[in-house]
Amino acid sequence: MNFIRIRNTACFLAFLLSLSCCSSRKTAAPFSVIPYPQEVEFSDGSFDIAGSRFIVDPSVDDVSLSYIVKFSEELSTVSGRRSSVHRGVSGRGVRFILNTALPAEGYTIDVTGKSAIIGASSYSGFVYAIQTVRQMLPVAIYGGVRSRGDYVLPCVRISDRPRFSYRGVLIDVGRHFYSVDEIKRCLDIMSVYKVNVFHWHLTEDQGWRFESRKYPRLTEVGSVRHGTQIDFDPMHLRPEDHGGYYTQDEMRDVVSYAAERGITVIPELDLPGHLLSALAAYPELGCTGGPYEVANTWGVKKDVLCVGQEKTFTFLEDILTEIMDIFPSEYINIGGDEVPKDRWNACPRCRKKMAELGLADRDGHTAGQYLQNYVTARIQNFLNAHGRKIIGWEEILEGDLAEGVTVMSWRGTGEDVDPRIWNYNSVMSPRGYMYIDRYQSHEQDREPFSIGAYLPVEQLYEYEPYKGVPEYGKERILGVQANLWTEYVNTEEYLEYMLLPRLAALSEVQWCSPEDREFSRFRESMDRHRNIYETMGLTYAKHLWGVIGLPGNEYPARSPEELADYLAGRE
């Protein structure tokens, strides 16, 4: 067969046109796979996958087999033609083979007019291969109900693997709580785009969302706040209580659900700051003894854990023990960001601890910053002793930092970051590109109220993690993460609106080599992906299609001239 490799947009569009001619009986869907595979070669023809036998090599593990069976059942349901799954080493149909020569998350797909062969070396590889196959089929495959269509694949050879091993999305449930069902909906769409880390931000000044059986007041008191700030004025409050938390069984369910989709859940216990919710429940853990209240306004709070007393570390180790029992992830995120030192500097117990440790202002850092290093080191040693590793926001760099940590960089890019970050493994999450709580257009009067700033899909897509990074630093970058903070994201519909379609753009930053990223090709593919969102019943932002606002409150985008007049009127 004559295989043609597709790299540029002109060839890609020509291929889309050719698909309508490659089969007189059935037509393959346009090739709109996101993230775009590393190597793709097309040839004439197509393969009818509906009703095919799925032949799974005996060397493929049972967990991967279960995922393959589930996909065959989905295909059978939507196509109306039954696919069967068998163990074997040969035969026509769709063959799944174990290829240990492939990288851990890599996969291959080889489709001819008579069969399809899918190879991978791990469970994740088979998951990603099937996700690619799903994107090549009619979007009805995402709906789970019988639907007419041509369930055929183009004749194609794909060899694919991710650029980065860490491909994350953070969802903040501390500021606003979302149901387990909504978290699962988010995991479903993360899986479509081969995201492999769900960073679950479970604790905040504004709410504690993790059930602790040893400290029940954390959820009895700390999970509920009285009122919620609704705009930039802290005096403007929504009067209703806001609360919610996840039981330990619910969190285990989410971990299992994510793992089935190739996603690791990394929990975050933000410490020693961002914990007013814990202090409200157990005021003896603070420097002043309270009384404290769960915060109902945003911003950095001065009250933090009192780390001059041992009971604080007993509390933290108890909570982390419960967390480790639920979450099997290699990493536990300990936060460490935005920790004011005011209370420590005035607290007799914390000042005594600084003196005992010989901490003083030096080398451009304060004694309080070195005290936070002491906290970080103690927690690191505790987690290391239990076979886990810590990851935290870049403020943990202040002072001295022990080896073996992973740092999440959020305050800048390239030359703008603290150069010490390159001494540690790092995950890039710069707020200018990866904070997806920001407005998606300049038409803020037509958008739901947001934290501010502006981050359209195009800007996120153009982020290059290696730009401005020294060569030795590039080797330290594990991956990229987007963060969906939720101060003003007060509904599940709004959550999805902020996530999509920026998650699609994120996936190409995380997965694709720079030469395979091309916004015009990506934009063309998004016309199909919006149909995936519709089929999955997800809310999504429609800025790429000239529409602004949440469903029920949508407006056509202003013309360039109208937008210029609008922006001039705001100045």
Side-chain angles (χ1 to χ4, degrees):
M1 279 185 289
N2 181 26
F3 280 92
I4 303 173
R5 185 171 182 174
I6 303 296
R7 277 289 188 196
N8 60 53
T9 299
C11 291
F12 176 74
L13 294 175
F15 169 71
L16 297 185
L17 292 173
S18 73
L19 286 177
S20 62
C21 306
C22 70
S23 172
S24 60
R25 186 170 60 89
K26 294 188 176 182
T27 303
F31 190 83
S32 301
V33 174
I34 296 175
Y36 198 77
Q38 298 281 1
E39 297 179 19
V40 184
E41 296 178 337
F42 297 100
S43 69
D44 295 337
S46 61
F47 170 65
D48 189 348
I49 192 174
S52 294
R53 296 175 73 241
F54 283 38
I55 305 158
V56 183
D57 192 274
S59 59
V60 173
D61 64 277
D62 289 341
V63 178
S64 297
L65 174 65
S66 296
Y67 193 83
I68 294 166
V69 168
K70 182 178 179 181
F71 172 61
S72 74
E73 292 172 346
E74 292 174 348
L75 181 61
S76 299
T77 297
V78 298
S79 70
R81 297 167 60 191
R82 188 68 187 168
S83 294
S84 56
V85 180
H86 308 272
R87 287 284 194 180
V89 295
S90 63
R92 286 189 178 181
V94 184
R95 288 181 54 205
F96 292 84
I97 62 174
L98 184 70
N99 184 350
T100 57
L102 292 172
E105 295 186 289
Y107 67 91
T108 58
I109 299 174
D110 189 354
V111 182
T112 68
K114 297 181 179 179
S115 66
I117 300 175
I118 295 172
S121 64
S122 68
Y123 177 75
S124 293
F126 286 114
V127 170
Y128 302 149
I130 288 174
Q131 289 293 4
T132 294
V133 169
R134 283 160 61 94
Q135 289 194 36
M136 290 191 286
L137 293 173
V139 297
I141 193 69
Y142 295 95
V145 296
R146 175 77 171 90
S147 179
R148 290 186 176 184
D150 293 343
Y151 293 87
V152 298
L153 301 175
C155 293
V156 63
R157 288 177 181 168
I158 296 174
S159 179
D160 201 12
R161 61 210 172 276
R163 182 185 186 190
F164 295 109
S165 62
Y166 185 112
R167 303 180 302 281
V169 169
L170 174 148
I171 294 180
D172 164 20
V173 299
R175 272 65 174 235
H176 279 96
F177 177 80
Y178 310 98
S179 68
V180 169
D181 286 344
E182 178 60 21
I183 295 300
K184 288 181 176 180
R185 284 161 64 85
C186 292
L187 290 168
D188 286 341
I189 193 64
M190 289 179 199
S191 180
V192 169
Y193 292 122
K194 303 180 177 73
V195 172
N196 68 348
V197 173
F198 169 40
H199 178 168
W200 207 356
H201 188 79
L202 286 164
T203 61
E204 256 305 334
D205 291 314
Q206 294 81 15
W208 182 282
R209 310 300 179 204
F210 173 95
E211 180 197 23
S212 169
R213 292 175 180 169
K214 191 159 188 177
Y215 297 89
R217 285 178 59 81
L218 289 171
T219 48
E220 292 169 3
V221 175
S223 69
V224 180
R225 66 171 176 265
H226 305 303
T228 299
Q229 182 178 338
I230 61 173
D231 57 28
F232 296 143
D233 187 338
M235 300 301 292
H236 293 169
L237 299 179
R238 184 182 300 111
E240 298 85 7
D241 287 355
H242 180 85
Y245 66 90
Y246 306 99
T247 69
Q248 294 199 5
D249 288 341
E250 286 174 331
M251 289 183 286
R252 288 191 176 92
D253 180 42
V254 169
V255 167
S256 176
Y257 192 88
E260 183 180 330
R261 287 150 182 78
I263 299 171
T264 297
V265 182
I266 296 180
E268 181 177 355
L269 169 63
D270 204 344
L271 65 95
H274 286 284
L275 279 181
L276 256 179
S277 56
L279 297 181
Y282 295 95
E284 64 273 18
L285 297 175
C287 289
T288 68
Y292 306 102
E293 292 184 1
V294 180
N296 59 10
T297 60
W298 316 125
V300 178
K301 310 303 181 184
K302 289 184 178 181
D303 286 300
V304 300
L305 292 177
C306 177
V307 297
Q309 56 182 354
E310 280 303 302
K311 69 171 65 174
T312 296
F313 291 96
T314 300
F315 166 78
L316 290 174
E317 291 177 1
D318 287 342
I319 294 297
L320 288 168
T321 297
E322 289 187 279
I323 286 175
M324 287 187 288
D325 184 55
I326 296 168
F327 297 93
S329 56
E330 177 186 22
Y331 287 110
I332 304 294
N333 195 299
I334 64 165
D337 60 312
E338 298 175 330
V339 183
K341 310 304 189 289
D342 308 61
R343 296 290 187 249
W344 290 354
N345 291 334
C347 173
R349 288 172 297 193
C350 291
R351 291 178 64 84
K352 180 180 179 182
K353 178 60 68 175
M354 292 183 205
E356 289 176 357
L357 297 171
L359 304 181
D361 297 355
R362 60 179 173 82
D363 300 330
H365 298 289
T366 67
Q369 289 173 325
Y370 287 114
L371 183 61
Q372 184 173 344
N373 292 155
Y374 162 74
V375 177
T376 301
R378 282 196 59 166
I379 299 302
Q380 180 181 6
N381 290 337
F382 175 76
L383 290 173
N384 288 168
H386 290 80
R388 306 300 183 94
K389 297 178 180 179
I390 67 168
I391 185 170
W393 302 104
E394 68 182 83
E395 285 93 327
I396 64 176
L397 285 168
E398 297 170 354
D400 295 322
L401 186 62
E403 291 292 333
V405 306
T406 297
V407 179
M408 301 201 71
S409 176
W410 67 274
R411 292 188 287 194
T413 59
E415 304 94 334
D416 298 328
V417 305
D418 185 333
R420 291 176 302 165
I421 197 173
W422 311 127
N423 297 322
Y424 306 91
N425 288 339
S426 59
V427 174
M428 309 311 293
S429 191
R431 56 189 168 186
Y433 293 94
M434 292 292 143
Y435 273 37
I436 57 176
D437 55 343
R438 300 183 171 196
Y439 284 108
Q440 300 182 75
S441 81
H442 285 304
E443 301 184 51
Q444 296 183 9
D445 62 328
R446 296 180 175 181
E447 291 267 41
F449 189 84
S450 184
I451 195 75
Y454 171 55
L455 179 59
V457 171
E458 297 90 334
Q459 183 171 321
L460 190 155
Y461 190 86
E462 71 184 22
Y463 173 56
E464 172 46 50
Y466 285 168
K467 185 177 180 180
V469 177
E471 286 302 317
Y472 74 94
K474 295 175 183 178
E475 299 174 359
R476 289 291 206 170
I477 297 177
L478 301 181
V480 177
Q481 177 171 294
N483 303 321
L484 183 42
W485 305 108
T486 63
E487 282 89 341
Y488 301 103
V489 183
N490 60 346
T491 67
E492 295 180 345
E493 179 184 58
Y494 190 5
L495 183 80
E496 294 171 9
Y497 177 89
M498 298 300 266
L499 189 64
L500 297 172
R502 291 190 286 200
L503 178 60
L506 168 70
S507 73
E508 297 224 336
V509 175
Q510 295 172 330
W511 186 278
C512 297
S513 300
E515 61 269 20
D516 291 326
R517 285 164 51 195
E518 187 174 9
F519 189 78
S520 59
R521 184 264 309 154
F522 170 83
R523 172 62 187 86
E524 191 80 25
S525 295
M526 285 311 305
D527 289 337
R528 175 172 162 79
H529 279 253
R530 70 180 299 189
N531 294 329
I532 294 177
Y533 306 155
E534 297 276 1
T535 303
M536 294 178 69
L538 296 165
T539 301
Y540 62 99
K542 300 176 182 177
H543 303 81
L544 290 176
W545 300 277
V547 177
I548 310 296
L550 281 166
N553 197 31
E554 295 178 339
Y555 300 87
R558 291 178 170 94
S559 69
E561 295 77 17
E562 291 171 332
L563 181 59
D565 290 343
Y566 164 70
L567 294 176
R570 290 176 53 197
E571 294 177 354

